[in-house]
Amino acid sequence: MIKNKKFKEIDEEFICDNCGMKVPKLGYSCRDHCPYCLHSKHVDVNPGDRLEECHGDLVPVSLEIDSKKGYVIIYRCNKCGKIRKNKAAKDDNMDLIIELSSKQL
């Protein structure tokens, strides 16, 4: 499988800026959002590059279901307004995923 050259895999633990929970490494791919509250941080221009200067809170606003990726969380940055998408992780809060599925972007 050929990976996108713009994709840099970074799997690290962090403290969520939104809920304050300690988020562990994902272990099978990149950890890019909090599994407890689903929020993320606007730090990448391309996945894993850490080149985005905004650093706003990426708020989960909706959900897509992709036939290959499964659940895809749609985010809106509360600082710059950009829309970003991230694949849901296996350990994400399923109640919040279900709640997102009923929201339109």
Side-chain angles (χ1 to χ4, degrees), residues 32-45:
D32 56 17
H33 63 274
C34 176
Y36 307 107
C37 69
L38 304 182
H39 283 243
S40 189
K41 192 167 185 176
H42 196 184
V43 295
D44 295 337
V45 173

PDB file of all heavy atoms in Angstrom, residues 32-45:
ATOM      1  N   ASP A  32      -5.069  11.537  16.528  1.00  0.00           N
ATOM      2  CA  ASP A  32      -5.241  12.923  16.093  1.00  0.00           C
ATOM      3  C   ASP A  32      -6.388  13.645  16.772  1.00  0.00           C
ATOM      4  O   ASP A  32      -6.693  14.777  16.442  1.00  0.00           O
ATOM      5  CB  ASP A  32      -5.399  12.993  14.570  1.00  0.00           C
ATOM      6  CG  ASP A  32      -6.545  12.136  14.071  1.00  0.00           C
ATOM      7  OD1 ASP A  32      -7.421  11.736  14.856  1.00  0.00           O
ATOM      8  OD2 ASP A  32      -6.563  11.856  12.871  1.00  0.00           O
ATOM      9  N   HIS A  33      -7.056  12.987  17.720  1.00  0.00           N
ATOM     10  CA  HIS A  33      -8.119  13.637  18.469  1.00  0.00           C
ATOM     11  C   HIS A  33      -8.352  12.899  19.778  1.00  0.00           C
ATOM     12  O   HIS A  33      -7.881  11.789  19.973  1.00  0.00           O
ATOM     13  CB  HIS A  33      -9.409  13.714  17.641  1.00  0.00           C
ATOM     14  CG  HIS A  33      -9.974  12.378  17.278  1.00  0.00           C
ATOM     15  ND1 HIS A  33      -9.571  11.677  16.154  1.00  0.00           N
ATOM     16  CD2 HIS A  33     -10.886  11.603  17.902  1.00  0.00           C
ATOM     17  CE1 HIS A  33     -10.241  10.532  16.104  1.00  0.00           C
ATOM     18  NE2 HIS A  33     -11.037  10.456  17.151  1.00  0.00           N
ATOM     19  N   CYS A  34      -9.092  13.530  20.668  1.00  0.00           N
ATOM     20  CA  CYS A  34      -9.389  12.959  21.981  1.00  0.00           C
ATOM     21  C   CYS A  34     -10.520  11.936  21.852  1.00  0.00           C
ATOM     22  O   CYS A  34     -11.584  12.266  21.330  1.00  0.00           O
ATOM     23  CB  CYS A  34      -9.798  14.078  22.935  1.00  0.00           C
ATOM     24  SG  CYS A  34     -10.304  13.491  24.573  1.00  0.00           S
ATOM     25  N   PRO A  35     -10.328  10.711  22.330  1.00  0.00           N
ATOM     26  CA  PRO A  35     -11.382   9.709  22.238  1.00  0.00           C
ATOM     27  C   PRO A  35     -12.523   9.956  23.233  1.00  0.00           C
ATOM     28  O   PRO A  35     -13.600   9.390  23.090  1.00  0.00           O
ATOM     29  CB  PRO A  35     -10.658   8.400  22.562  1.00  0.00           C
ATOM     30  CG  PRO A  35      -9.539   8.801  23.451  1.00  0.00           C
ATOM     31  CD  PRO A  35      -9.116  10.159  22.956  1.00  0.00           C
ATOM     32  N   TYR A  36     -12.303  10.813  24.218  1.00  0.00           N
ATOM     33  CA  TYR A  36     -13.305  11.076  25.257  1.00  0.00           C
ATOM     34  C   TYR A  36     -14.307  12.142  24.830  1.00  0.00           C
ATOM     35  O   TYR A  36     -15.505  11.976  25.017  1.00  0.00           O
ATOM     36  CB  TYR A  36     -12.622  11.486  26.560  1.00  0.00           C
ATOM     37  CG  TYR A  36     -11.570  10.494  26.988  1.00  0.00           C
ATOM     38  CD1 TYR A  36     -10.214  10.802  26.884  1.00  0.00           C
ATOM     39  CD2 TYR A  36     -11.917   9.234  27.455  1.00  0.00           C
ATOM     40  CE1 TYR A  36      -9.235   9.883  27.260  1.00  0.00           C
ATOM     41  CE2 TYR A  36     -10.953   8.303  27.824  1.00  0.00           C
ATOM     42  CZ  TYR A  36      -9.618   8.636  27.718  1.00  0.00           C
ATOM     43  OH  TYR A  36      -8.651   7.724  28.081  1.00  0.00           O
ATOM     44  N   CYS A  37     -13.815  13.259  24.253  1.00  0.00           N
ATOM     45  CA  CYS A  37     -14.710  14.356  23.852  1.00  0.00           C
ATOM     46  C   CYS A  37     -14.708  14.589  22.342  1.00  0.00           C
ATOM     47  O   CYS A  37     -15.469  15.407  21.846  1.00  0.00           O
ATOM     48  CB  CYS A  37     -14.341  15.638  24.581  1.00  0.00           C
ATOM     49  SG  CYS A  37     -12.758  16.362  24.084  1.00  0.00           S
ATOM     50  N   LEU A  38     -13.825  13.903  21.620  1.00  0.00           N
ATOM     51  CA  LEU A  38     -13.660  13.953  20.162  1.00  0.00           C
ATOM     52  C   LEU A  38     -13.043  15.233  19.627  1.00  0.00           C
ATOM     53  O   LEU A  38     -12.869  15.388  18.421  1.00  0.00           O
ATOM     54  CB  LEU A  38     -14.993  13.671  19.434  1.00  0.00           C
ATOM     55  CG  LEU A  38     -15.691  12.367  19.779  1.00  0.00           C
ATOM     56  CD1 LEU A  38     -16.955  12.220  18.935  1.00  0.00           C
ATOM     57  CD2 LEU A  38     -14.781  11.165  19.593  1.00  0.00           C
ATOM     58  N   HIS A  39     -12.675  16.163  20.484  1.00  0.00           N
ATOM     59  CA  HIS A  39     -12.043  17.405  20.013  1.00  0.00           C
ATOM     60  C   HIS A  39     -10.625  17.120  19.536  1.00  0.00           C
ATOM     61  O   HIS A  39      -9.990  16.154  19.950  1.00  0.00           O
ATOM     62  CB  HIS A  39     -12.009  18.449  21.130  1.00  0.00           C
ATOM     63  CG  HIS A  39     -13.320  19.113  21.351  1.00  0.00           C
ATOM     64  ND1 HIS A  39     -13.517  20.455  21.151  1.00  0.00           N
ATOM     65  CD2 HIS A  39     -14.514  18.615  21.745  1.00  0.00           C
ATOM     66  CE1 HIS A  39     -14.776  20.759  21.416  1.00  0.00           C
ATOM     67  NE2 HIS A  39     -15.398  19.655  21.787  1.00  0.00           N
ATOM     68  N   SER A  40     -10.144  17.999  18.660  1.00  0.00           N
ATOM     69  CA  SER A  40      -8.793  17.895  18.134  1.00  0.00           C
ATOM     70  C   SER A  40      -8.177  19.284  18.174  1.00  0.00           C
ATOM     71  O   SER A  40      -8.822  20.248  18.584  1.00  0.00           O
ATOM     72  CB  SER A  40      -8.838  17.353  16.694  1.00  0.00           C
ATOM     73  OG  SER A  40      -7.552  17.037  16.225  1.00  0.00           O
ATOM     74  N   LYS A  41      -6.932  19.384  17.767  1.00  0.00           N
ATOM     75  CA  LYS A  41      -6.248  20.677  17.743  1.00  0.00           C
ATOM     76  C   LYS A  41      -5.773  20.938  16.322  1.00  0.00           C
ATOM     77  O   LYS A  41      -5.218  20.056  15.675  1.00  0.00           O
ATOM     78  CB  LYS A  41      -5.074  20.677  18.720  1.00  0.00           C
ATOM     79  CG  LYS A  41      -4.506  22.045  18.976  1.00  0.00           C
ATOM     80  CD  LYS A  41      -3.567  22.029  20.174  1.00  0.00           C
ATOM     81  CE  LYS A  41      -3.116  23.430  20.492  1.00  0.00           C
ATOM     82  NZ  LYS A  41      -2.296  23.460  21.701  1.00  0.00           N
ATOM     83  N   HIS A  42      -5.980  22.145  15.846  1.00  0.00           N
ATOM     84  CA  HIS A  42      -5.642  22.527  14.473  1.00  0.00           C
ATOM     85  C   HIS A  42      -4.144  22.795  14.371  1.00  0.00           C
ATOM     86  O   HIS A  42      -3.697  23.939  14.428  1.00  0.00           O
ATOM     87  CB  HIS A  42      -6.453  23.759  14.095  1.00  0.00           C
ATOM     88  CG  HIS A  42      -6.483  24.028  12.636  1.00  0.00           C
ATOM     89  ND1 HIS A  42      -7.092  25.134  12.121  1.00  0.00           N
ATOM     90  CD2 HIS A  42      -5.994  23.341  11.574  1.00  0.00           C
ATOM     91  CE1 HIS A  42      -6.971  25.122  10.806  1.00  0.00           C
ATOM     92  NE2 HIS A  42      -6.297  24.045  10.457  1.00  0.00           N
ATOM     93  N   VAL A  43      -3.366  21.712  14.221  1.00  0.00           N
ATOM     94  CA  VAL A  43      -1.901  21.829  14.201  1.00  0.00           C
ATOM     95  C   VAL A  43      -1.269  21.412  12.874  1.00  0.00           C
ATOM     96  O   VAL A  43      -0.099  21.681  12.651  1.00  0.00           O
ATOM     97  CB  VAL A  43      -1.244  21.028  15.343  1.00  0.00           C
ATOM     98  CG1 VAL A  43      -1.623  21.606  16.695  1.00  0.00           C
ATOM     99  CG2 VAL A  43      -1.596  19.560  15.276  1.00  0.00           C
ATOM    100  N   ASP A  44      -2.032  20.749  12.011  1.00  0.00           N
ATOM    101  CA  ASP A  44      -1.464  20.230  10.765  1.00  0.00           C
ATOM    102  C   ASP A  44      -2.050  20.907   9.527  1.00  0.00           C
ATOM    103  O   ASP A  44      -3.247  21.155   9.451  1.00  0.00           O
ATOM    104  CB  ASP A  44      -1.735  18.725  10.622  1.00  0.00           C
ATOM    105  CG  ASP A  44      -1.046  17.898  11.684  1.00  0.00           C
ATOM    106  OD1 ASP A  44      -0.052  18.364  12.255  1.00  0.00           O
ATOM    107  OD2 ASP A  44      -1.506  16.770  11.925  1.00  0.00           O
ATOM    108  N   VAL A  45      -1.173  21.182   8.553  1.00  0.00           N
ATOM    109  CA  VAL A  45      -1.622  21.560   7.216  1.00  0.00           C
ATOM    110  C   VAL A  45      -1.934  20.266   6.462  1.00  0.00           C
ATOM    111  O   VAL A  45      -3.001  20.096   5.891  1.00  0.00           O
ATOM    112  CB  VAL A  45      -0.554  22.402   6.477  1.00  0.00           C
ATOM    113  CG1 VAL A  45      -0.962  22.650   5.036  1.00  0.00           C
ATOM    114  CG2 VAL A  45      -0.304  23.718   7.202  1.00  0.00           C
TER     115      VAL A  45
END
